[in-house]
Amino acid sequence: MPRPKTSQTRQRIQEAALELFTEQGVRQTSLRQIADRLGLTKPALYYHFESREELVTSLLQPLVDDLDALLAEDEAASEIDARDLLGRYFDVSYKHHALMGLMRQDLPALGEVGFVTRVLGWRRRLTVLLAGPDADTAAQARAIVALGGLADCLVLLAETPVDELREATLDAACAALGPS
Amino acid sequence: MPRPKTSQTRQRIQEAALELFTEQGVRQTSLRQIADRLGLTKPALYYHFESREELVTSLLQPLVDDLDALLAEDEAASEIDARDLLGRYFDVSYKHHALMGLMRQDLPALGEVGFVTRVLGWRRRLTVLLAGPDADTAAQARAIVALGGLADCLVLLAETPVDELREATLDAACAALGPS
DNA sequence: GTCTATAATGAGATAGAC
DNA sequence: GTCTATCTCATTATAGAC
């Protein structure tokens, strides 16, 4: 079983899956629906993916890589500018906005592929970067509002042109963060 | 089939269901698991609830009622104070924090019981109350950050004593909202 | 690389006894 | 009000032909 990690059909399956996951939820989508959308049959999917779980995981991988890289970079920096960090977080989130939407609105379904602890870890690390390791409740709340609000803007203002959305979102998030 | 709307067992089923929904997601929880947790069998559940859907819906009803009432009241008021509105929204959210968590992290599963449009409607109405009916993108983003951030604080700072959490959350949300 | 056919499992739901 | 037993259906997944 060679199953190349990249192929035309494999990619088309991932795209169809992501569309359906976004429309109706991860757990609510069956392999049959994905196959139907592409005019394929279920067994064809199993040629390209070992299991349903591998399909979901492969879909999330690009987001995982980008977010891990972003955090590693910022944690290595000697000093960080809050708006700058939020800006890079916005850019990664926008690049993977469909996946970020799943992460936000369908987390239990992604828990099936062991994603929950990872997501919580990201949020904790981002909060530490924004508020420091020993932040009190007030400072933590400010960081949480900034990060959570940013994610919500991507979902709820998805129709807005990126540049306008980026500035409005960062303004609001930085305001929540307050004077550093 | 009498099936009283309130009974000891019915309530215990609802509590067990909510626990499991919170732990592992709505769609990931089967009637079998709920029954097992109570030392019952599946058919016993069907004496108390017409269907799985009715169980889920009945669970959400108290939140629906409280949130509808809150919005009706504030929309009828001639003038609203932002921090006051957010405070009442915090109180309702805290009262139903487990359900609010589901609404935030498991929305596609609740879409099965026709909940998505309702949730989106609430957020739209709250945004209008906070930012006005003709708000530009910047003002909408501020309201979205305030509301979304508030919800995230309830989930992520759940261990914090209420009073402390309430003040920290409202401070951060109001900061996001900016000067009115 | 995709198909037909089918296995194996578990879900929601019902019938009828107690 | 709860049980045992069963039905129906959809799901993930596999075997083997083309």
Side-chain angles (χ1 to χ4, degrees):
Chain A
M1 290 83 170
R3 277 207 207 78
K5 281 289 176 190
T6 179
S7 84
Q8 260 297 320
T9 307
R10 185 178 160 101
Q11 205 171 334
R12 286 180 61 232
I13 293 170
Q14 288 174 322
E15 286 163 13
L18 182 53
E19 280 174 28
L20 285 162
F21 289 170
T22 302
E23 287 168 21
Q24 58 187 13
V26 174
R27 198 64 210 284
Q28 286 73 13
T29 300
S30 68
L31 296 181
R32 161 131 162 123
Q33 287 176 296
I34 298 168
D36 281 356
R37 175 158 296 203
L38 296 170
L40 293 177
T41 57
K42 278 188 290 174
L45 266 48
Y46 278 92
Y47 175 81
H48 296 278
F49 295 94
E50 244 181 28
S51 65
R52 178 201 169 85
E53 192 169 326
E54 200 221 324
L55 168 56
V56 177
T57 303
S58 78
L59 220 52
L60 296 170
Q61 200 56 50
L63 170 64
V64 171
D65 293 341
D66 280 357
L67 223 42
D68 277 343
L70 172 73
L71 278 163
E73 190 183 333
D74 278 309
E75 284 168 345
S78 56
E79 207 165 338
I80 55 135
D81 175 63
R83 191 181 179 101
D84 205 60
L85 168 57
L86 288 174
R88 284 196 301 282
Y89 182 61
F90 177 96
D91 293 334
V92 169
S93 300
Y94 186 82
K95 178 179 171 190
H96 304 286
H97 65 275
L99 293 172
M100 289 293 293
L102 292 187
M103 188 171 118
R104 195 153 188 77
Q105 304 197 328
D106 218 355
L107 197 52
L110 302 183
E112 277 185 318
V113 293
F115 212 62
V116 176
T117 55
R118 190 157 220 148
V119 171
L120 293 179
W122 283 331
R123 283 212 70 150
R124 191 182 39 72
R125 290 163 71 190
L126 282 165
T127 304
V128 168
L129 282 171
L130 286 174
D134 304 313
D136 59 8
T137 301
Q140 285 183 58
R142 286 176 175 274
I144 288 169
V145 171
L147 291 167
L150 188 153
D152 271 18
C153 284
L154 281 167
V155 175
L156 295 172
L157 298 176
E159 308 295 310
T160 309
V162 204
D163 294 343
E164 189 184 348
L165 175 59
R166 190 180 198 275
E167 195 189 349
T169 299
L170 289 182
D171 283 349
C174 287
L177 222 45
S180 55
Chain B
M1 290 85 169
R3 275 205 206 81
K5 282 289 177 189
T6 177
S7 83
Q8 260 296 321
T9 308
R10 185 179 159 101
Q11 207 172 331
R12 286 182 60 232
I13 293 170
Q14 288 174 323
E15 286 163 12
L18 183 52
E19 280 174 28
L20 284 162
F21 290 169
T22 302
E23 287 168 21
Q24 58 187 14
V26 174
R27 198 65 211 284
Q28 285 73 15
T29 300
S30 67
L31 296 182
R32 164 95 205 272
Q33 287 178 296
I34 297 169
D36 281 358
R37 174 158 301 202
L38 296 169
L40 293 177
T41 56
K42 271 191 293 175
L45 266 46
Y46 278 91
Y47 175 83
H48 296 277
F49 296 94
E50 242 180 29
S51 64
R52 177 201 170 86
E53 191 169 327
E54 200 221 324
L55 167 57
V56 176
T57 304
S58 79
L59 220 51
L60 296 170
Q61 200 56 49
L63 170 63
V64 170
D65 293 341
D66 280 357
L67 224 40
D68 277 342
L70 172 73
L71 277 163
E73 189 183 334
D74 278 309
E75 283 167 347
S78 56
E79 207 165 340
I80 55 134
D81 174 64
R83 191 182 178 100
D84 206 60
L85 169 57
L86 287 174
R88 283 196 301 282
Y89 182 62
F90 177 96
D91 293 335
V92 169
S93 301
Y94 186 81
K95 179 179 170 190
H96 304 285
H97 64 275
L99 294 171
M100 290 293 294
L102 292 187
M103 188 172 118
R104 194 151 188 79
Q105 303 198 326
D106 219 354
L107 198 52
L110 303 182
E112 278 184 319
V113 291
F115 211 63
V116 176
T117 55
R118 191 157 220 150
V119 171
L120 294 178
W122 283 331
R123 283 212 68 148
R124 190 182 40 71
R125 290 163 72 190
L126 282 165
T127 305
V128 168
L129 282 171
L130 285 175
D134 304 314
D136 60 8
T137 301
Q140 285 184 58
R142 286 175 176 276
I144 288 169
V145 170
L147 292 166
L150 187 153
D152 272 17
C153 284
L154 282 167
V155 175
L156 295 172
L157 298 176
E159 309 295 310
T160 310
V162 204
D163 294 341
E164 188 184 350
L165 175 59
R166 191 180 198 276
E167 196 190 348
T169 300
L170 289 181
D171 283 348
C174 288
L177 220 48
S180 54

